[in-house]
Amino acid sequence: WARGPIFKFAFLVMVLGLLRHLVLTLAGVFQALHRAGDKNIPYKVVFRTTLDWLFPFKKMSTNRPLYSIISVIFHIGLILVPIFLLPHVLLWKRGLGFGWPSIPHALADVLTLVTVAAAIGLIIGRLGHTEARRISRAQDILLPVLLLVPFISGFLAMHPASNPIDYTAVMLVHVMSANLIFILIPFTKLGHIILIPATQLISEVAWHFPAESGDDVAKALKKENMPI
């Protein structure tokens, strides 16, 4: 039940939700390009900036370097383990008819434990830092906690000798927590894992306002005769 109908429903919600984000994003980009006063978009700069955000090694030393390193490690584990764990690859192969190389079990164990430790570090880093705590929303704390559940339950399921809980119960928690994460991806900041490559293009295009935008804003605010 959890791996069948509920999984299909959750996966469908995730795919349709992300497609909606993608369509709205592309529509916004084309609309912005059409209205832009400056049509010369520096696509090479956008591509390079996107890579800098995807692999933010240069930014790690500028602002809370330890927290930044933990965040990068967490994201790496969050992507690699679910996609390249052998049991997951076999499930995708059974459902899609094709698969891809998997990582060794020993490496998967290490990545799982490191990801769990990184998630705990992120939570402590947010709650223990005054400025970070002030700007944090509830989901900034709750999402790492939720993401811990499938990692911990999956690790226990893969090591039944060390698992004090019934295997079926652990697997139910593992699958249902993963299903919940699938459903939440389009509606929370988890979607940035999929959508971040488009972020820099949107930001760049958004700044290329039509030439008359400043006058329109001044008129809307009834301050067209006031100095800037």
Side-chain angles (χ1 to χ4, degrees):
W1 176 73
R3 290 186 296 185
I6 299 300
F7 168 75
K8 292 177 181 178
F9 171 77
F11 192 76
L12 183 63
V13 170
M14 181 188 69
V15 172
L16 292 178
L18 289 175
L19 282 176
R20 174 182 177 275
H21 279 301
L22 182 61
V23 169
L24 291 176
T25 297
L26 291 176
V29 169
F30 286 121
Q31 184 181 31
L33 283 172
H34 177 72
R35 292 171 54 85
D38 180 5
K39 304 290 186 181
N40 298 315
I41 308 298
Y43 291 104
K44 290 183 179 179
V45 175
V46 172
F47 179 74
R48 187 168 60 250
T49 306
T50 301
L51 289 180
D52 287 340
W53 278 107
L54 288 173
F55 307 99
F57 302 111
K58 296 179 181 178
K59 299 179 175 65
M60 288 183 184
S61 60
T62 59
N63 183 28
R64 300 183 67 191
L66 179 59
Y67 183 87
S68 300
I69 292 172
I70 292 174
S71 178
V72 171
I73 292 173
F74 175 67
H75 282 78
I76 291 174
L78 199 63
I79 295 171
L80 290 183
V81 176
I83 294 177
F84 295 103
L85 183 68
L86 179 59
H88 292 176
V89 174
L90 294 177
L91 285 174
W92 287 113
K93 186 175 183 179
R94 186 175 66 183
L96 300 176
F98 64 90
W100 46 83
S102 62
I103 58 179
H105 279 298
L107 178 58
D109 285 347
V110 172
L111 285 174
T112 298
L113 295 175
V114 168
T115 304
V116 170
I120 296 173
L122 290 180
I123 296 170
I124 295 174
R126 282 194 174 275
L127 294 178
H129 189 271
T130 304
E131 184 63 23
R133 186 171 62 250
R134 185 182 66 82
I135 64 175
S136 293
R137 297 170 294 173
Q139 66 168 293
D140 295 327
I141 306 300
L142 295 177
L143 285 179
V145 174
L146 175 60
L147 291 169
L148 278 173
V149 177
F151 275 82
I152 294 175
S153 58
F155 184 84
L156 291 176
M158 291 289 289
H159 299 82
S162 305
N163 181 12
I165 308 172
D166 178 71
Y167 176 82
T168 303
V170 170
M171 281 303 299
L172 180 62
V173 171
H174 179 69
V175 176
M176 289 302 292
S177 60
N179 289 339
L180 178 59
I181 290 169
F182 282 147
I183 292 174
L184 290 176
I185 283 176
F187 307 105
T188 64
K189 63 188 300 182
L190 291 174
H192 80 280
I193 298 175
I194 309 296
L195 301 172
I196 196 172
T199 302
Q200 294 304 315
L201 176 60
I202 297 169
S203 299
E204 185 64 42
V205 171
W207 283 105
H208 286 62
F209 296 113
E212 69 279 3
S213 293
D215 294 333
D216 292 341
V217 171
K219 290 178 182 177
L221 297 175
K222 302 185 185 309
K223 295 183 178 182
E224 56 265 37
N225 295 322
M226 295 182 63
I228 299 176

